[in-house]
Amino acid sequence: MLLSKFHKQAFHTEVMMPNHEEIPIPVLTKPLSECRIGLVTDGGLVPKGNPDHQVPTNSKFFRRYSIEGMETLDPADWEVSHQGYNNAFVLQDPNRLVPVDALRHLVKEGVIGSLNDCFYSTAGVMTPMEKCKEFGEGIAQALKDDLCDAAIETST
């Protein structure tokens, strides 16, 4: 296949990739300075002790974690349940994955209106596409229920 492709000849793959539905990109209906921003991660950030028993691979659910009143995420309070990346940098500073500190700063500067009082987390590694779609739909609805205008999804 590689040689055929290199020589601009026809080739066929034995690996068929599924077609994914097209999802239109949403448009903000108000200035960013008036928007409530939500945070979502598939990097597996969980409270210390992993009270919800988030699994590090093949996730079964997503969870909502409060950041109400927090200016930053303290490493002493958080850990990672995810086996798909070297999470040492996140363990040193969980704001690298869920940027609460940076977004609180943007709120104070008036760049964004507000930050949602929670973030949504799961581990995306080895999670089947159907389950990921279910998570996405559930998180999107939760963000709407939280009155978020936009969201930042961080990944690894």
Side-chain angles (χ1 to χ4, degrees), residues 12-13 19 27 35 55 57 72 86 95 101 116 139 147 149 153 156:
H12 299 284
T13 179
N19 286 329
V27 178
C35 289
V55 294
T57 60
T72 187
N86 178 349
N95 295 281
D101 57 350
N116 200 20
I139 292 169
L147 304 178
D149 301 293
E153 202 280 335
T156 56

Side-chain angles (χ1 to χ4, degrees), residues 44-50 64-67 70 72-80 90-95 98 100 119 121:
L45 193 66
V46 297
K48 191 68 86 174
N50 193 5
R64 171 188 174 116
Y65 297 115
S66 177
I67 54 173
M70 295 180 196
T72 187
L73 298 180
D74 186 333
D77 298 330
W78 301 93
E79 64 183 70
V80 173
V90 173
L91 293 174
Q92 290 172 353
D93 183 357
N95 295 281
V98 180
V100 171
F119 71 92
S121 182

